Amino acid sequence: ELPALEELEAIHRQACRPLLEAIQAEKEYSEASGGGMAQMGTRRLRHEVPRNRLLESICELNRVANIEGKGRSDMDASCLVEAERLVSKPVCTCCTAPSSPLD
């Protein structure tokens, strides 16, 4: 009876591992995002490493959560970086202030 219970506990720990890692990655990302004002390059690096780890954890959760084997785990931060770049651009020229002839 005891070996069977220990085996079930080991299976449970293994099954919870991706979720626990994602929770830890999210905590680290939140801490890095709310940090103090350091140099821009250093701050960006301290922000990107936890973000990349969080994205990897989310991809792993997606992969293991899909019981049909169709979960994706191949996405990386490059798609998020590109999306952020696109969002930061003005959608139309009406959103940018026209230059004044007096300038």
Side-chain angles (χ1 to χ4, degrees):
E1 182 176 304
L2 189 58
L5 182 59
E6 290 173 349
E7 184 177 352
L8 283 175
E9 287 176 351
I11 291 169
H12 182 261
R13 277 192 306 275
Q14 183 179 2
C16 289
R17 184 189 51 77
L19 180 59
L20 295 174
E21 288 176 357
I23 291 169
Q24 182 62 34
E26 194 279 331
K27 284 180 184 178
E28 291 171 5
Y29 176 67
S30 293
E31 289 171 3
S33 296
M37 295 300 287
Q39 287 182 314
M40 190 58 170
T42 304
R43 197 174 105 213
R44 186 174 352 123
L45 183 60
R46 282 198 340 236
H47 182 263
E48 286 179 7
V49 171
R51 180 178 67 176
N52 291 346
R53 185 164 177 249
L54 176 59
L55 290 172
E56 289 171 3
S57 296
I58 291 170
C59 286
E60 178 66 9
L61 283 174
N62 188 32
R63 186 186 68 77
V64 298
N66 191 313
I67 59 173
E68 295 178 7
K70 296 181 182 179
R72 294 188 63 167
S73 63
D74 61 342
M75 295 183 68
D76 60 12
S78 63
C79 64
L80 180 60
V81 169
E82 181 64 15
E84 289 172 341
R85 186 185 69 76
L86 292 172
V87 167
S88 68
K89 286 184 172 182
V91 177
C92 63
T93 57
C94 68
C95 298
T96 58
S99 59
S100 169
L102 300 175
D103 290 336

